[in-house]
Amino acid sequence: MNKKDLINALESIAVYMEIRGENTFKVSAYRKAAQALEQDERSLSEIEDPASLNGIGKGTAAVIEELRDTNQSELLESLKEEVPSGLVPLLDLPGLGGKKIAKLYQELGVTDAASLKKACEAGQVQQLSGFGTKTEENILEALKDMGNRPERLPISFMLEAADMFEREIENQVDVEHWARAGSLRRMEETVKDLDYIMAVQDPDPIRAQLKQISYVSDIIADGPSKVSLELAFSYPVQVDIRLVEEEAFATALHHFTGSKEHNVHLRQIAKAQGERMSEYGIENLETGEISTFSSEKDFFSHFDLHYIPPEARLGRDETEWFREPYETVKRKDIRGDLHMHTTWSDGALSIEEMAEEARSHGHEWIAITDHSKFLQVAHGLNEERLLRQIEEVRRVNEKYDDFTVLAGIEMDIRPDGTLDIEEDVLRRLDVVIGSIHSSFSQKREEIMKRLEAAVESPYVNVIAHPTGRLIGRRSGYDADVDTLIEKAAANGTALELNANPNRLDLSAEWLRKAREAGTTIAINTDAHSPKMLGHMEIGTGIARKALLQKEQILNTRNVDGLLPFLQEKRKIEDRQG
Ligand code: DGT
Ligand code: CA
Ligand code: CA
Ligand code: ZN
C-alpha cells in the first residue's frame, strides 16, 4: 500500500467511526494521523516508526503498521461490515459529512438513498438539529441527480469500466484475438457505450462465457454475431461485442471503430473505385468478389491511404492527410515526463521511488515538480523546502548514469498575476511549470494577465493544464486560448497536454490550433501515484487526434535535446541584464 492509499484508509476509518457515532476523540485521532503522514516528506518505506511522528499515538500507529504490512486493517474491515454500505455514497451529496450522516442513520434509521428520500419527503430531516428546511430541499434536489446515468460518460469513467471488463475477458473468456472499437478506441472525451470485436470460430461457447462475467446485470441482445450486455458499475454500462470470423476481423474492427463520419468518407472512396464497403469486407461491384485484409494497415492500403490512427478517424480531413506518409506521435517516441508529484507535496511516493517507477515505464529522464506554497491544501513547497528538495533531487540523480532526474516545480500563478517562488530560487531549477489553481471565476482579462505573466517569464517553461477544465465536471477558467497558443510559441514556452483522463487539457481541438501555430507541446502525466505514470499512453492518443508529430512534442527529446529548450528562455534574460 502506498502512502496516499494509506492516508485514504485512515480517513475512511475516521468517516466510518463518525457515522457509527464513536466519540470525537477517537475519530480525530485518525484524522490527525492522516494529516501527520501527509505533512511528512518521507514516503512510507522511509518512515520506520509511525509512532515517532507528532500527532500519531500508539493505537493509530499500530493500524498504520498493519495497513503498511498487510494492505488491510481489521478495524476498517469490521467498520465496513457494521456500517450500512448504502450510507457511503451519501457522502458525495453536497453538505453531508460523516457527522450529519450519523444523525440521519441513528435518529431516523436512514441507511441508503431511498430511505433518505423518504425521510426528506416526510419532513423529518428538517427537524434534526443542525439541519433545516433549506438543507432538506438541497438533499432532495441532489438525490434526483444521483444514480441517473447521463447519456454519455466521461472517458475517465469508461476507461476504468473497460479495464475491469477486459480483465474479465482475459480471465473468463476463451478468445485470443479481440480489440476495443468505437468511441473509446478513438479516445473521445465522452463515451456512450463500449464496443469490442472478437474473432471466433464457434460463437456459442464464447456467448455463454460472456454472459457469465461477474459484472453482467442484464443481457440486452444475444445472437450469433452480436452480444450486448449491461454491466453494473457505479453507473450501468452497455457493451456491444461483435463476434466475427478471423478473416473479417480487420474490416469489422475498422467498421465498428468509426467514426460514422469517417466511415462515410471511406465508403465514398470505395464507391468511386467501383466497390462497396461493409463490416464483412470490400465487395467488387463488377465481379461480386469480397476482399478481406489481415490488418487495418492493409485495409487502408487498398484505398491508397497510409494507416490512419483510430484517434484521428473523425470524418474531417484525415483521408487527405494520410494520402502521403504521415507519422503521428506514438508512445514509444516518448522519453520522459515533465510533471509529477512526490510526498514532498501531495504525491504518494518519494523522489527516489518515483524515479524507479518512471524507469520501469521506460523513461530516460523525469522532472520532479511538486506544488508551491500558495497551494496550501497540497502542502506546497516554500523557497526553503524547495532548496532542500533540489539537494535531494541532485542526490537521487547521482545514483544513475543512464537516467536523469531534473529538479522542477509546479509553481502557482497567484490571483494577482505574481509568481509564487522567488527568482533566485527559480534560477536553481532545471524546469519550471506555471499553473493556475485558484480564482477560476476571474474575468478573461485577469486570467490572461496571469497566463501571460507566466508565458513571458524567463523562468517558466511549461504552462500546466492550460484551461483548468475537468471533463464532465467543470469547464475551467475563461482563457483566450488562441492568444495563449500564439504567445507560447513566440516566447519559447511549451503548453501542456495533461494526460490525466479527467483533464485532457489542452483538448484535441486546441492542440490542432497549437500544431498549426507551431507551439511546443509537453505531454505530461501530472502523476501523484505510480499508476498515474501510465496515463502517458492516453496523452499520446489525444496528441494523435490532433495529428501532432513527435518533432513538436518536448518530451520526445532526449535529455540533451531537452535542456537547451529549457535554458533558451533564461539566456534572453541574461542578455538583457
Ligand atoms: P458512442 O456514442 O460514444 O458509443 O460512439 P461510437 O462511435 O462508439 O458509436 P456506436 O457505439 O453507436 O457505434 C460504434 C461504431 O460502429 C461507430 O463509430 C460506427 C459504426 N456504426 C455503428 N452503427 C452504424 C450505423 O448505423 N451506420 C454507420 N455508418 N456506422 C455505424
Ligand atoms: Ca460505442
Ligand atoms: Ca455501441
Ligand atoms: Zn501537478
Side-chain angles (χ1 to χ4, degrees), residues 339 341 369 371 410 437 465 526 528:
H339 185 170
H341 298 270
T369 55
H371 290 290
E410 180 180 11
H437 292 117
H465 37 72
D526 194 358
H528 286 66

Side-chain angles (χ1 to χ4, degrees), residues 365-399:
W365 53 263
I366 53 169
I368 299 294
T369 55
D370 275 304
H371 290 290
S372 67
K373 60 183 187 278
F374 182 83
L375 208 60
Q376 284 175 16
V377 289
H379 308 287
L381 305 176
N382 60 18
E383 281 78 359
E384 180 257 317
R385 287 178 68 213
L386 179 54
L387 286 171
R388 278 199 290 120
Q389 192 192 41
I390 296 173
E391 277 175 39
E392 172 64 6
V393 168
R394 304 296 181 221
R395 185 190 72 79
V396 173
N397 184 50
E398 279 297 302
K399 296 180 48 176

Side-chain angles (χ1 to χ4, degrees), residues 192-195 238 240 242:
K192 182 192 73 201
D193 61 19
L194 301 177
D195 300 276
Q238 182 173 329
D240 295 333
R242 266 79 179 190

Side-chain angles (χ1 to χ4, degrees), residues 208-225:
Q209 288 167 347
L210 284 169
K211 288 182 281 183
Q212 291 296 317
I213 284 176
S214 46
Y215 301 108
V216 172
S217 51
D218 197 8
I219 295 156
I220 299 160
D222 179 18
S225 62

Side-chain angles (χ1 to χ4, degrees), residues 152 181-184 186 188 190-195 240 242 254-261 263-264 267:
R152 309 187 65 76
S183 53
L184 192 69
R186 301 197 311 274
E188 299 293 347
T190 62
V191 172
K192 182 192 73 201
D193 61 19
L194 301 177
D195 300 276
D240 295 333
R242 266 79 179 190
H254 177 268
H255 180 86
F256 292 110
T257 294
S259 63
K260 284 196 180 80
E261 297 75 13
N263 288 355
V264 167
R267 223 170 287 126

